[in-house]
Tab-separated table of all heavy atoms in Angstrom:
chain	number	residue	atom	x	y	z
A	44	ASN	N	43.139	-7.103	-35.696
A	44	ASN	CA	43.777	-7.704	-34.530
A	44	ASN	C	42.988	-7.371	-33.270
A	44	ASN	O	42.359	-6.319	-33.176
A	44	ASN	CB	45.206	-7.180	-34.376
A	44	ASN	CG	46.057	-7.500	-35.592
A	44	ASN	OD1	45.879	-8.533	-36.219
A	44	ASN	ND2	46.963	-6.591	-35.926
A	259	PRO	N	38.997	0.252	-40.736
A	259	PRO	CA	38.812	1.615	-41.247
A	259	PRO	C	37.418	1.806	-41.836
A	259	PRO	O	36.684	0.843	-42.091
A	259	PRO	CB	39.894	1.727	-42.317
A	259	PRO	CG	40.174	0.329	-42.719
A	259	PRO	CD	39.993	-0.509	-41.484
A	296	GLN	N	36.785	6.266	-34.031
A	296	GLN	CA	37.686	6.648	-32.950
A	296	GLN	C	39.105	6.326	-33.359
A	296	GLN	O	39.349	5.554	-34.293
A	296	GLN	CB	37.318	5.901	-31.666
A	296	GLN	CG	37.516	4.387	-31.747
A	296	GLN	CD	37.096	3.680	-30.484
A	296	GLN	OE1	35.947	3.319	-30.327
A	296	GLN	NE2	38.047	3.467	-29.595
A	297	PHE	N	40.055	6.934	-32.643
A	297	PHE	CA	41.438	6.566	-32.878
A	297	PHE	C	41.693	5.193	-32.283
A	297	PHE	O	41.279	4.909	-31.159
A	297	PHE	CB	42.383	7.599	-32.263
A	297	PHE	CG	42.397	8.908	-33.018
A	297	PHE	CD1	41.749	10.018	-32.507
A	297	PHE	CD2	43.031	9.002	-34.244
A	297	PHE	CE1	41.753	11.214	-33.197
A	297	PHE	CE2	43.046	10.203	-34.936
A	297	PHE	CZ	42.397	11.310	-34.418
A	298	THR	N	42.362	4.349	-33.008
A	298	THR	CA	42.594	2.992	-32.547
A	298	THR	C	43.474	2.985	-31.302
A	298	THR	O	44.488	3.669	-31.264
A	298	THR	CB	43.293	2.173	-33.647
A	298	THR	OG1	42.591	2.371	-34.867
A	298	THR	CG2	43.320	0.711	-33.286
A	299	PRO	N	43.101	2.233	-30.251
A	299	PRO	CA	43.943	2.168	-29.043
A	299	PRO	C	45.342	1.670	-29.373
A	299	PRO	O	45.522	0.781	-30.201
A	299	PRO	CB	43.190	1.179	-28.147
A	299	PRO	CG	41.791	1.225	-28.642
A	299	PRO	CD	41.870	1.468	-30.115
A	300	LYS	N	46.359	2.251	-28.735
A	300	LYS	CA	47.740	1.890	-29.043
A	300	LYS	C	48.080	0.473	-28.619
A	300	LYS	O	49.090	-0.073	-29.040
A	300	LYS	CB	48.699	2.877	-28.392
A	300	LYS	CG	48.595	2.958	-26.870
A	300	LYS	CD	49.520	4.037	-26.354
A	300	LYS	CE	49.418	4.165	-24.842
A	300	LYS	NZ	50.306	5.238	-24.332
A	301	THR	N	47.231	-0.148	-27.786
A	301	THR	CA	47.502	-1.526	-27.387
A	301	THR	C	47.104	-2.507	-28.472
A	301	THR	O	47.374	-3.692	-28.359
A	301	THR	CB	46.723	-1.861	-26.114
A	301	THR	OG1	45.327	-1.618	-26.348
A	301	THR	CG2	47.193	-1.019	-24.958
A	302	VAL	N	46.462	-2.012	-29.534
A	302	VAL	CA	45.948	-2.922	-30.565
A	302	VAL	C	46.739	-2.820	-31.851
A	302	VAL	O	47.091	-3.814	-32.458
A	302	VAL	CB	44.457	-2.628	-30.833
A	302	VAL	CG1	43.925	-3.501	-31.952
A	302	VAL	CG2	43.648	-2.808	-29.567
A	303	GLU	N	47.027	-1.619	-32.291
A	303	GLU	CA	47.632	-1.423	-33.599
A	303	GLU	C	48.979	-0.711	-33.481
A	303	GLU	O	49.392	-0.271	-32.418
A	303	GLU	CB	46.687	-0.606	-34.495
A	303	GLU	CG	45.328	-1.232	-34.702
A	303	GLU	CD	45.381	-2.476	-35.566
A	303	GLU	OE1	46.459	-2.774	-36.113
A	303	GLU	OE2	44.350	-3.157	-35.684
A	304	THR	N	49.654	-0.577	-34.642
A	304	THR	CA	50.922	0.136	-34.675
A	304	THR	C	50.679	1.632	-34.588
A	304	THR	O	49.570	2.107	-34.773
A	304	THR	CB	51.673	-0.188	-35.974
A	304	THR	OG1	50.898	0.297	-37.071
A	304	THR	CG2	51.882	-1.682	-36.127
A	305	GLU	N	51.763	2.386	-34.366
A	305	GLU	CA	51.609	3.826	-34.173
A	305	GLU	C	51.042	4.496	-35.419
A	305	GLU	O	50.201	5.392	-35.332
A	305	GLU	CB	52.957	4.445	-33.800
A	305	GLU	CG	52.856	5.944	-33.507
A	305	GLU	CD	54.180	6.508	-33.028
A	305	GLU	OE1	55.130	5.728	-32.893
A	305	GLU	OE2	54.235	7.733	-32.815
A	306	SER	N	51.487	4.070	-36.601
A	306	SER	CA	50.979	4.675	-37.829
A	306	SER	C	49.498	4.410	-38.014
A	306	SER	O	48.741	5.273	-38.459
A	306	SER	CB	51.756	4.145	-39.042
A	306	SER	OG	51.599	2.725	-39.141
A	307	GLU	N	49.055	3.214	-37.639
A	307	GLU	CA	47.640	2.877	-37.775
A	307	GLU	C	46.799	3.585	-36.728
A	307	GLU	O	45.626	3.859	-36.945
A	307	GLU	CB	47.442	1.367	-37.672
A	307	GLU	CG	48.009	0.617	-38.874
A	307	GLU	CD	47.974	-0.875	-38.673
A	307	GLU	OE1	48.213	-1.314	-37.537
A	307	GLU	OE2	47.723	-1.603	-39.641
A	308	ARG	N	47.393	3.925	-35.560
A	308	ARG	CA	46.647	4.599	-34.509
A	308	ARG	C	46.269	6.017	-34.900
A	308	ARG	O	45.413	6.622	-34.283
A	308	ARG	CB	47.462	4.630	-33.210
A	308	ARG	CG	47.619	3.270	-32.566
A	308	ARG	CD	47.994	3.434	-31.098
A	308	ARG	NE	49.167	4.255	-30.907
A	308	ARG	CZ	50.409	3.794	-30.873
A	308	ARG	NH1	50.619	2.512	-31.093
A	308	ARG	NH2	51.422	4.605	-30.666
A	309	GLN	N	46.932	6.541	-35.909
A	309	GLN	CA	46.615	7.894	-36.325
A	309	GLN	C	45.368	7.956	-37.198
A	309	GLN	O	44.906	9.038	-37.542
A	309	GLN	CB	47.815	8.475	-37.076
A	309	GLN	CG	49.070	8.582	-36.205
A	309	GLN	CD	50.285	9.003	-37.000
A	309	GLN	OE1	50.202	9.167	-38.216
A	309	GLN	NE2	51.408	9.181	-36.328
A	310	LYS	N	44.834	6.781	-37.563
A	310	LYS	CA	43.659	6.728	-38.419
A	310	LYS	C	42.398	6.564	-37.573
A	310	LYS	O	42.410	5.936	-36.532
A	310	LYS	CB	43.769	5.550	-39.389
A	310	LYS	CG	45.021	5.596	-40.260
A	310	LYS	CD	45.111	4.332	-41.091
A	310	LYS	CE	46.396	4.305	-41.908
A	310	LYS	NZ	46.515	3.044	-42.683
A	311	LEU	N	41.308	7.100	-38.082
A	311	LEU	CA	40.024	6.883	-37.428
A	311	LEU	C	39.497	5.517	-37.829
A	311	LEU	O	39.394	5.200	-39.012
A	311	LEU	CB	39.031	7.975	-37.830
A	311	LEU	CG	39.262	9.350	-37.189
A	311	LEU	CD1	38.278	10.356	-37.750
A	311	LEU	CD2	39.117	9.267	-35.693
A	312	MET	N	39.182	4.730	-36.819
A	312	MET	CA	38.728	3.364	-37.049
A	312	MET	C	37.382	3.149	-36.359
A	312	MET	O	36.980	3.915	-35.496
A	312	MET	CB	39.754	2.365	-36.497
A	312	MET	CG	41.184	2.641	-36.923
A	312	MET	SD	41.523	2.153	-38.622
A	312	MET	CE	41.876	0.411	-38.385
Side-chain angles (χ1 to χ4, degrees):
N44 300 326
Q296 65 182 88
F297 288 105
T298 311
K300 60 184 179 181
T301 56
V302 177
E303 301 290 353
T304 64
E305 183 175 358
S306 61
E307 291 172 322
R308 290 200 305 270
Q309 298 173 357
K310 303 175 184 178
L311 286 176
M312 311 284 276

